[in-house]
Amino acid sequence: MRTSGLPALRKLAHFCGCAVSYRDSRGQLQVARPEALLAVLAALGLPIERPDQATALLRAHQAAKWRRRCEPVTVAWDGEPATLRLRLPASPARSRFTARLELEDGSSRELWGDLRDVPITEQVEVDGQRYTVRTLPLPRGLPWGYHRLALEFADGESASTTVIAAPRRAWMPRGTSTRWWGTFLPLYALSSERGWGAGHLGDLAELLQWTNAAGGHFTGTLPLLAAFLDEPYEISPYRPVSRLFWNEFYLDVTALPEFQRSAAAQALVASPEFQAELHRGRDERLVDYRTGMRLRRQVLELLARECWEMPSHRRDQLETWRAAHPEAERYARFRATVERQQAGWQAWPDTLRTSDLREADPAATRYHLYVQWAMEMQLAQVMRERGQYGSGLYLDLPLGVHPQGFDTWRFQQLFLYEISIGAPPDPFFEDGQVWGFPPLHPERQREDGYTYLRACLRHHLRHARMLRVDHVMGLHRLYLVPAGSSGRDGVYLRYPADELYAVLTLESQRWRCIVVGEDLGTVPSIVRRAMARHGLLRMYVLPFELRSSGEWVSPPSNALACLGTHDLPPFAALWQSLSPQVRERLLARLRHEGLLSASKGDDETAAALRGFLALLAASPAFALVINLEDLWLETEPQNRPGTGPEQPNWRRKARYALEDVTSSAGVRALLAQVNQLRRWKVAR
């Protein structure tokens, strides 16, 4: 590409939020390629194909920015004084203005004034036009919420902004000195005697009750969001069809009241053919999602028909829920259309891609409404059955969605296309990573008042006591890779972090849910400072903190600590991958710290597990999550990043069934040690 116009291209990219360079994991400066900058700018909606077009576009965008009287979002923290930056002509013809502040609760306040009384804080000249910035103070003590401020100026111009009045910090429990701990297992991996080849919400409720009985505070699992399990087919929990709806694969089918009333459903499940497939699914070591979903669908369709067609209190509840959740109707019609077309929405005829899909198959639509309502009811039941500590589920909010899924169809204007979120090269992935899902448009989110993000958070927070936000660095910036490029050719795009934290802390406080930010990898210090300022827990993952010298970095108090993650080999495999010399130095340090208590019959790996569990349990980290598979020294991972269908990612069942786990004396003994140390450390 010719170099003429490159300086202007870089200025335009910077103006639009793109980083023209960044420091990689080795601290070396990487400069964005012009082709990548052009692709990202085009995805953002700029009509640009060549660098020599950048100068005119930059001038036009700068002028458009200054013609816009105010930003679309304003944050007011903790009832403190906040100001609205008004961009105005230097010499307005008329100076009077009026404002109407509409609060979230429906009430409103009328304001008025004279621009001459509003102080000037900046003066600029853009494209021959002089502008001033005046800072208009907003009312003090605004209640938490999303408010709307509309301004009318005497010259006939108008402007508006969404005012997010938010607490500065996310919710944390008060009045207790206890440090939390809990268990973790992917729900699909949680097999049981009455399961259908994978775990279900009944199993999750039982695991949560058992964990609480052992003294724990939460049970975590991977995302439980809607997935394509037919055509298209995608089982990764991190590429869901939607972040607004659940995966009915996890319903406890036989616990549904409709199953108790449906003779047809009971007869189907009791039939020799159905039972043979169920037993085959239970016996397999890997989850067969296609077969499992086909079996569930046969029964759930009968239950949906039973609920919709027979007058009952349950049908009344379903109708009430349907009326209160109009988005669920759209989702149901979308899924019915996908099933009829056997393809994602970007492969549909143009007439369907932009329609409201009111011609979708009614039976399939009712099915999807029923199963979403049933998931909501069973998740609510899981939370009602939580234990004595008032704790509950630790859920996971993924960063992205499937490019052919509901969210990208429903909110087409909010997503960027022909571009994917990814990660730059690092020592583990020398070519970088391309994750295959589209990013959100930073400016269009703001103009929409973050309604989509708010809905995604509420979908999870109403059922969670803790929420893990995947790739929390995405609140600040995302690495975007143009379609067809490798992970080496990405560009960082900035996001309005202050506004995103305001939405997150406000929803966290409203739902009384702790927020954990997944901050692994090469994370700028500004991100962790912001997390601390806003009360998000960071993640402490032991393998990343061990040193070959036999030392380790201790967990901080504002962390969720763990022995590993679903993207790492389990503890036993990681331990065995270390050299004998490093293992001996680490064991020596554990002995010195009084953390290595030999247990009869322990081999070295089991001893190390007990020692490092004790280390994390006795640490000041606020929360400790224990992958149950580590307790029996599992060596196979749940996911191998950078691999595809050739590996059993997201399919491997736990070695032991739920009944074996909860009755294991060895597992109970390890958790009893953790429980004692979590409480003893604080009392000490």
Side-chain angles (χ1 to χ4, degrees), residues 447-666:
E447 292 162 0
D448 192 48
Y450 295 106
T451 54
Y452 172 68
L453 174 62
R454 286 148 57 180
C456 292
L457 288 169
R458 291 169 183 173
H459 182 64
H460 289 76
L461 294 174
R462 64 174 170 259
H463 296 298
R465 193 60 159 169
M466 288 204 308
L467 180 70
R468 173 188 179 270
V469 176
D470 186 33
H471 198 69
V472 74
M473 192 166 63
L475 299 177
H476 297 254
R477 67 180 191 180
L478 286 173
Y479 187 76
L480 307 185
V481 183
S485 299
S486 80
R488 292 182 173 275
D489 294 329
V491 174
Y492 274 111
L493 179 66
R494 293 191 303 275
Y495 283 75
D498 237 29
E499 297 167 12
L500 293 167
Y501 278 111
V503 175
L504 188 56
T505 58
L506 175 54
E507 297 300 333
S508 164
Q509 289 281 358
R510 282 181 161 176
W511 295 95
R512 295 172 59 83
C513 183
I514 297 167
V515 179
V516 180
E518 188 269 292
D519 60 338
L520 306 179
T522 306
V523 178
S525 59
I526 189 175
V527 175
R528 292 199 174 110
R529 288 198 300 269
M531 291 173 64
R533 186 165 62 250
H534 293 295
L536 275 65
L537 295 183
R538 56 165 299 190
M539 290 191 69
Y540 173 99
V541 182
L542 181 71
F544 299 150
E545 310 297 343
L546 298 178
R547 304 293 179 261
S548 59
S549 62
E551 303 294 313
W552 52 74
V553 177
S554 297
S557 59
N558 64 331
L560 175 138
C562 53
L563 293 172
T565 75
H566 59 268
D567 283 332
L568 293 174
F571 174 83
L574 284 165
W575 178 258
Q576 291 161 17
S577 70
L578 300 175
S579 71
Q581 296 82 5
V582 171
R583 294 203 301 266
E584 182 49 44
R585 285 194 286 268
L586 289 168
L587 290 170
R589 171 75 188 280
L590 287 171
R591 291 189 197 97
H592 177 74
E593 294 289 328
L595 296 167
L596 197 61
S597 56
S599 181
K600 186 175 181 181
D602 268 1
D603 64 10
E604 181 192 90
T605 304
L609 171 73
R610 296 174 69 90
F612 281 112
L613 261 184
L615 167 71
L616 299 185
S619 78
F622 175 80
L624 166 63
V625 61
I626 301 165
N627 184 341
L628 289 172
E629 292 193 294
D630 283 332
L631 303 188
W632 54 79
L633 304 180
E634 180 60 65
T635 57
E636 288 297 311
Q638 287 294 338
N639 179 48
R640 291 177 171 87
T643 64
E646 74 279 2
Q647 295 290 342
N649 298 331
W650 319 119
R651 298 178 60 207
R652 187 180 57 76
K653 298 178 187 177
R655 189 188 311 176
Y656 299 107
L658 175 61
E659 295 83 2
D660 298 323
V661 174
T662 56
S663 64
S664 167

Side-chain angles (χ1 to χ4, degrees), residues 376-389:
E376 287 285 343
M377 295 301 102
Q378 288 199 345
L379 278 166
Q381 182 64 26
V382 171
M383 288 298 285
R384 282 195 295 271
E385 294 178 359
R386 60 192 181 180
Q388 58 181 315
Y389 299 103

Side-chain angles (χ1 to χ4, degrees), residues 8 11-13 15-16 46 53-63:
K11 287 181 182 178
L12 175 63
F15 181 83
C16 293
L46 277 70
Q53 298 171 304
T55 298
L57 283 171
L58 177 59
R59 185 181 301 117
H61 276 68
Q62 287 174 329

